C-alpha cells in the first residue's frame, strides 16, 4: 500500500517512532453553499490508506461534522 508520495507526505517512519498505529489527516475546502470536510485514516505500520471520506458542511456545522467523523473512525 500507498504511493511513495503519500508515504513521504505523511512521514510514516516518524509516526512509527512515536508509537502511533494510525493517523488521521484532513482538510476543509470551500464548496457550493458551504464547505467540504475531507479526511483520511492511515495505518502507520502498513503505510496504507484505510479510509477516505468527505462530508458537506454549512457554516456552523463543524461540530456536528466532527462528531460524524469520529463515529466513522
Amino acid at each position: 500500500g500507498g504511493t511513495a508520495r503519500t508515504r513521504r507526505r505523511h512521514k510514516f517512519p516518524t509516526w512509527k517512532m512515536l508509537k502511533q498505529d494510525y493517523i488521521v489527516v484532513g482538510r476543509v475546502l470551500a464548496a457550493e453553499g458551504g464547505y467540504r470536510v475531507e479526511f483520511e485514516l492511515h495505518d502507520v505500520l502498513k503505510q496504507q490508506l484505510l479510509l477516505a471520506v468527505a462530508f458537506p458542511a454549512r457554516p456552523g456545522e463543524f461540530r456536528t461534522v466532527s462528531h460524524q467523523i469520529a463515529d466513522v473512525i
Side-chain angles (χ1 to χ4, degrees):
T3 66
R5 181 174 173 234
T6 298
R7 289 191 297 271
R8 282 193 307 273
R9 183 175 65 222
H10 296 313
K11 297 181 170 63
F12 289 115
T14 301
W15 290 110
K16 184 177 178 183
M17 182 182 67
L18 294 170
K19 301 189 185 309
Q20 301 304 305
D21 295 327
Y22 303 94
I23 59 169
V24 176
V25 180
R27 64 184 178 166
V28 178
L29 304 169
E32 187 75 27
Y35 303 93
R36 177 180 167 93
V37 181
E38 301 176 347
F39 78 93
E40 298 175 343
L41 174 64
H42 295 267
D43 182 315
V44 172
L45 298 176
K46 295 179 182 176
Q47 298 186 17
Q48 186 174 40
L49 174 66
L50 299 176
L51 183 66
V53 179
F55 290 100
R58 292 188 298 255
E61 292 184 338
F62 289 110
R63 183 181 173 98
T64 300
V65 171
S66 69
H67 285 280
Q68 291 172 326
I69 292 169
D71 289 345
V72 171
I73 293 173

